[in-house]
Amino acid sequence: DAGITQSPRHKVTETGTPVTLRCHQTENHRYMYWYRQDPGHGLRLIHYSYGVKDTDKGEVSDGYSVSRSKTEDFLLTLESATSSQTSVYFCAIKATSGREGTDTQYFGPGTRLTVL
Amino acid sequence: KQEVTQIPAALSVPEGENLVLNCSFTDSAIYNLQWFRQDPGKGLTSLLLIQSSQREQTSGRLNASLDKSSGRSTLYIAASQPGDSATYLCAFNIGGSYIPTFGRGTSLIVHP
């Protein structure tokens, strides 16, 4: 599992409230990603990070912001949660290994967020 | 825009059958392709990764192949078991990009 944890694992919140999800890794990987997974849409990239304080948008970034102040933590914030943001959120890292620099992606266990 | 198509979307088979799951991608400048397994309510687990320079990778009863010229990868599962029931996703990276493109997966049920 490449030492990836996500917190909280489950959260129920109300429309309009701010929500922050945390992804924590223990192996100093440079690249980290936030995805959401919804029936009928598959996995969609929200934001990703390629280093401390270096982040960029994915295909569904509206309504989300991220921060990475330490290598090991990547935070996803919903400034004002909406019902359309009810989803399962996955964090992932990209691990590079071997002499050929093989890149492998590993995922966290997910956070199930419900916005009422 | 890169796209990944996985066929079939769903598959139900009796235990013991040999299976082939298909993954088609649109960009020939593929760097690598990764197969994942996802159990209900869980995260994605990496199964196999094939570099563009490789033709196939094997792990136990799983064998993944890559044909760049036709834009296809297949995941072969030998002697399927009920424990293989899950959704299988493929994702590919193109050279110079660190953003993989995911398929929507094949939902597999292996019944006893």
Side-chain angles (χ1 to χ4, degrees), chain A residues 7-18:
Chain A
S7 59
R9 295 292 313 281
H10 302 271
K11 186 171 182 67
V12 179
T13 191
E14 294 188 350
T15 297
T17 59

Side-chain angles (χ1 to χ4, degrees), chain B residues 1 4 22 31 37 42 51 62 65 67 70-71 85-88 93 95-96 101-102 111:
Chain B
K1 178 182 176 183
V4 179
N22 296 293
Y31 176 66
R37 168 186 174 136
K42 305 291 185 182
Q51 294 287 89
L62 304 179
S65 66
D67 184 341
S70 65
S85 298
T87 297
Y88 292 82
N93 280 292
T101 300
F102 281 84
H111 48 87

